[in-house]
Amino acid sequence: MTLAPLTMQAESDIDLSYFDTVINWKGLTLTGSSTGTDVTLGRMQFTADNERTERGFYVGEFNADVTDIRIVTGVSTMLPTEVLIDKLRLSGELEQEDDAFYEYEYEFAIDNISTGSSENVISKVKADISINQLSAELFETLQAANKASSTSGLDKAWQTFGQNEHGIEIEELGFFFNEQPVSLNADLTLAKHTMADYDQNRLGQKLNGQANITISEELAKSNPVISLVLAEQIKKNVVTLHEGKYQANLVIKNGKITANNQVLYQL
């Protein structure tokens, strides 16, 4: 493994009421691994700005940019021998909604994903997801659990999380496959729940809201199986075809997913 130079800058005050961080790393190269996989990570920049609240935990944002990631492997004939990820960006922000609750928003983007032996390219990958009604007690519990490395503390954090109803917004989730778009957006609500709902796999039944899925007609044509499935769903009025795009408008009620009053799946 070869590690390129890394520089880090940090700024704070004596009370640690805030801290700002900047990391610049010229990447790494991994060759000759036991799995036969070589990895090259390009330049990366990471920045974070955080401020401590009166309750003792931090709110703020981070941004990370990676110029490229290259993975070369000969482990399996079923997988591509080379994968190139071009320009990856991550960001997250925790901000206060009001005196009692906070919202966390996460964004993710990749310009291109390609393989050395294939002409297929995935591009313009984007995700923008947020969740609200996160209580101060939740972050206090997480902070205490982290300091103590306590499993019981994490269980308590999950219990605290379930004490409030949360809004989950998927503003954008999609990509282009050979320049043909696939996208999803959703506005969901996760109802109050308990640890028993986790243990008995009932968490999906606490979801309510709506979602919209769009798939390019040209993309569907390139895959006969997908085309047949979508054609069948059009007959059932579950999917519509409009201006070269297949569209499905889904309703989620207590984990039951329906389209045009037809049940498609139970979470």
Side-chain angles (χ1 to χ4, degrees), residues 30 32-39 72-76:
L30 172 65
S33 69
S34 59
T35 62
T37 301
D38 297 340
V39 179
V72 179
T73 181
V75 175
S76 172

PDB file of all heavy atoms in Angstrom, residues 30 32-39 72-76:
ATOM      1  N   LEU A  30      -3.250   0.634  -3.706  1.00  0.00           N
ATOM      2  CA  LEU A  30      -3.130  -0.688  -3.108  1.00  0.00           C
ATOM      3  C   LEU A  30      -2.913  -1.701  -4.228  1.00  0.00           C
ATOM      4  O   LEU A  30      -3.739  -1.837  -5.127  1.00  0.00           O
ATOM      5  CB  LEU A  30      -4.398  -1.043  -2.326  1.00  0.00           C
ATOM      6  CG  LEU A  30      -4.502  -2.480  -1.793  1.00  0.00           C
ATOM      7  CD1 LEU A  30      -3.420  -2.751  -0.751  1.00  0.00           C
ATOM      8  CD2 LEU A  30      -5.888  -2.738  -1.208  1.00  0.00           C
ATOM      9  N   GLY A  32      -1.113  -5.820  -5.223  1.00  0.00           N
ATOM     10  CA  GLY A  32      -0.568  -7.076  -4.712  1.00  0.00           C
ATOM     11  C   GLY A  32      -1.303  -7.635  -3.522  1.00  0.00           C
ATOM     12  O   GLY A  32      -0.726  -8.363  -2.716  1.00  0.00           O
ATOM     13  N   SER A  33      -2.609  -7.351  -3.406  1.00  0.00           N
ATOM     14  CA  SER A  33      -3.361  -7.872  -2.270  1.00  0.00           C
ATOM     15  C   SER A  33      -3.618  -9.366  -2.461  1.00  0.00           C
ATOM     16  O   SER A  33      -3.528  -9.901  -3.566  1.00  0.00           O
ATOM     17  CB  SER A  33      -4.692  -7.132  -2.132  1.00  0.00           C
ATOM     18  OG  SER A  33      -5.552  -7.453  -3.211  1.00  0.00           O
ATOM     19  N   SER A  34      -3.972 -10.043  -1.372  1.00  0.00           N
ATOM     20  CA  SER A  34      -4.216 -11.484  -1.424  1.00  0.00           C
ATOM     21  C   SER A  34      -5.429 -11.830  -2.281  1.00  0.00           C
ATOM     22  O   SER A  34      -5.545 -12.936  -2.784  1.00  0.00           O
ATOM     23  CB  SER A  34      -4.414 -12.028   0.000  1.00  0.00           C
ATOM     24  OG  SER A  34      -5.508 -11.375   0.631  1.00  0.00           O
ATOM     25  N   THR A  35      -6.342 -10.872  -2.475  1.00  0.00           N
ATOM     26  CA  THR A  35      -7.526 -11.110  -3.294  1.00  0.00           C
ATOM     27  C   THR A  35      -7.276 -10.834  -4.771  1.00  0.00           C
ATOM     28  O   THR A  35      -8.145 -11.069  -5.609  1.00  0.00           O
ATOM     29  CB  THR A  35      -8.688 -10.218  -2.824  1.00  0.00           C
ATOM     30  OG1 THR A  35      -8.312  -8.838  -2.985  1.00  0.00           O
ATOM     31  CG2 THR A  35      -9.025 -10.476  -1.368  1.00  0.00           C
ATOM     32  N   GLY A  36      -6.087 -10.313  -5.079  1.00  0.00           N
ATOM     33  CA  GLY A  36      -5.785  -9.991  -6.466  1.00  0.00           C
ATOM     34  C   GLY A  36      -6.446  -8.729  -6.949  1.00  0.00           C
ATOM     35  O   GLY A  36      -6.594  -8.514  -8.152  1.00  0.00           O
ATOM     36  N   THR A  37      -6.835  -7.859  -6.024  1.00  0.00           N
ATOM     37  CA  THR A  37      -7.516  -6.613  -6.362  1.00  0.00           C
ATOM     38  C   THR A  37      -6.598  -5.427  -6.141  1.00  0.00           C
ATOM     39  O   THR A  37      -5.972  -5.311  -5.092  1.00  0.00           O
ATOM     40  CB  THR A  37      -8.786  -6.436  -5.510  1.00  0.00           C
ATOM     41  OG1 THR A  37      -9.664  -7.537  -5.737  1.00  0.00           O
ATOM     42  CG2 THR A  37      -9.502  -5.143  -5.875  1.00  0.00           C
ATOM     43  N   ASP A  38      -6.515  -4.552  -7.143  1.00  0.00           N
ATOM     44  CA  ASP A  38      -5.749  -3.310  -7.029  1.00  0.00           C
ATOM     45  C   ASP A  38      -6.725  -2.139  -6.926  1.00  0.00           C
ATOM     46  O   ASP A  38      -7.719  -2.081  -7.666  1.00  0.00           O
ATOM     47  CB  ASP A  38      -4.839  -3.105  -8.241  1.00  0.00           C
ATOM     48  CG  ASP A  38      -3.789  -4.198  -8.374  1.00  0.00           C
ATOM     49  OD1 ASP A  38      -3.519  -4.879  -7.362  1.00  0.00           O
ATOM     50  OD2 ASP A  38      -3.243  -4.356  -9.475  1.00  0.00           O
ATOM     51  N   VAL A  39      -6.436  -1.218  -6.021  1.00  0.00           N
ATOM     52  CA  VAL A  39      -7.307  -0.068  -5.806  1.00  0.00           C
ATOM     53  C   VAL A  39      -6.478   1.206  -5.847  1.00  0.00           C
ATOM     54  O   VAL A  39      -5.416   1.290  -5.221  1.00  0.00           O
ATOM     55  CB  VAL A  39      -8.036  -0.157  -4.447  1.00  0.00           C
ATOM     56  CG1 VAL A  39      -8.923   1.082  -4.231  1.00  0.00           C
ATOM     57  CG2 VAL A  39      -8.878  -1.422  -4.357  1.00  0.00           C
ATOM     58  N   VAL A  72      -9.320  -2.623  -9.937  1.00  0.00           N
ATOM     59  CA  VAL A  72      -8.978  -3.628 -10.942  1.00  0.00           C
ATOM     60  C   VAL A  72      -8.899  -4.974 -10.245  1.00  0.00           C
ATOM     61  O   VAL A  72      -8.199  -5.123  -9.233  1.00  0.00           O
ATOM     62  CB  VAL A  72      -7.629  -3.316 -11.623  1.00  0.00           C
ATOM     63  CG1 VAL A  72      -7.286  -4.392 -12.660  1.00  0.00           C
ATOM     64  CG2 VAL A  72      -7.673  -1.946 -12.287  1.00  0.00           C
ATOM     65  N   THR A  73      -9.632  -5.960 -10.743  1.00  0.00           N
ATOM     66  CA  THR A  73      -9.645  -7.268 -10.099  1.00  0.00           C
ATOM     67  C   THR A  73      -9.796  -8.373 -11.129  1.00  0.00           C
ATOM     68  O   THR A  73     -10.372  -8.176 -12.199  1.00  0.00           O
ATOM     69  CB  THR A  73     -10.804  -7.358  -9.080  1.00  0.00           C
ATOM     70  OG1 THR A  73     -10.762  -8.639  -8.450  1.00  0.00           O
ATOM     71  CG2 THR A  73     -12.146  -7.160  -9.755  1.00  0.00           C
ATOM     72  N   GLY A  74      -9.271  -9.529 -10.800  1.00  0.00           N
ATOM     73  CA  GLY A  74      -9.436 -10.704 -11.645  1.00  0.00           C
ATOM     74  C   GLY A  74     -10.001 -11.861 -10.863  1.00  0.00           C
ATOM     75  O   GLY A  74      -9.821 -13.025 -11.210  1.00  0.00           O
ATOM     76  N   VAL A  75     -10.715 -11.518  -9.769  1.00  0.00           N
ATOM     77  CA  VAL A  75     -11.208 -12.533  -8.837  1.00  0.00           C
ATOM     78  C   VAL A  75     -12.287 -13.398  -9.476  1.00  0.00           C
ATOM     79  O   VAL A  75     -12.325 -14.609  -9.301  1.00  0.00           O
ATOM     80  CB  VAL A  75     -11.754 -11.854  -7.559  1.00  0.00           C
ATOM     81  CG1 VAL A  75     -12.392 -12.881  -6.635  1.00  0.00           C
ATOM     82  CG2 VAL A  75     -10.634 -11.123  -6.836  1.00  0.00           C
ATOM     83  N   SER A  76     -13.192 -12.794 -10.230  1.00  0.00           N
ATOM     84  CA  SER A  76     -14.335 -13.541 -10.764  1.00  0.00           C
ATOM     85  C   SER A  76     -14.578 -13.179 -12.220  1.00  0.00           C
ATOM     86  O   SER A  76     -14.490 -12.007 -12.610  1.00  0.00           O
ATOM     87  CB  SER A  76     -15.594 -13.235  -9.940  1.00  0.00           C
ATOM     88  OG  SER A  76     -16.745 -13.783 -10.538  1.00  0.00           O
TER      89      SER A  76
END
